[in-house]
Amino acid sequence: MTAPIVAQKAPYPVEVEEGKSYFWCACGKSRKQPFCDGSHKDTGIAPVKYTAEASKRVFFCGCKHSSKQPLCDGAHSKL
């Protein structure tokens, strides 16, 4: 697998906790979107670690094409 699967053409709003690490699904195969559940095995695509700098709402990329991975940059509007 060389290209990720588009999980959805919209970001995932998530309330994150300061200091906590999250593993964003980069392959699009996880059933626990936007986070990794290990489905990437044998895809050649690894999850991306995100550590929250503050407790707040962030928008994780759902289309898997963001240039600011793991966060949304609006790339889904061009798919």
Side-chain angles (χ1 to χ4, degrees):
M1 180 175 174
T2 57
I5 295 169
V6 175
Q8 72 176 23
K9 289 186 177 182
Y12 291 94
V14 176
E15 295 292 332
V16 296
E17 294 178 39
E18 181 178 357
K20 185 174 177 183
S21 292
Y22 302 83
F23 290 87
W24 173 75
C25 169
C27 72
K29 295 178 74 174
S30 175
R31 291 187 181 152
K32 295 183 178 182
Q33 291 294 334
F35 304 115
C36 178
D37 69 358
S39 296
H40 64 275
K41 290 185 172 89
D42 300 322
T43 66
I45 300 173
V48 175
K49 183 179 180 180
Y50 172 82
T51 302
E53 295 177 5
S55 293
K56 63 181 180 178
R57 177 179 286 187
V58 298
F59 295 86
F60 286 97
C61 176
C63 74
K64 312 304 178 185
H65 289 81
S66 174
S67 63
K68 294 183 178 183
Q69 292 181 355
L71 303 178
C72 177
D73 70 353
H76 59 273
S77 63
K78 299 174 187 150
L79 296 178

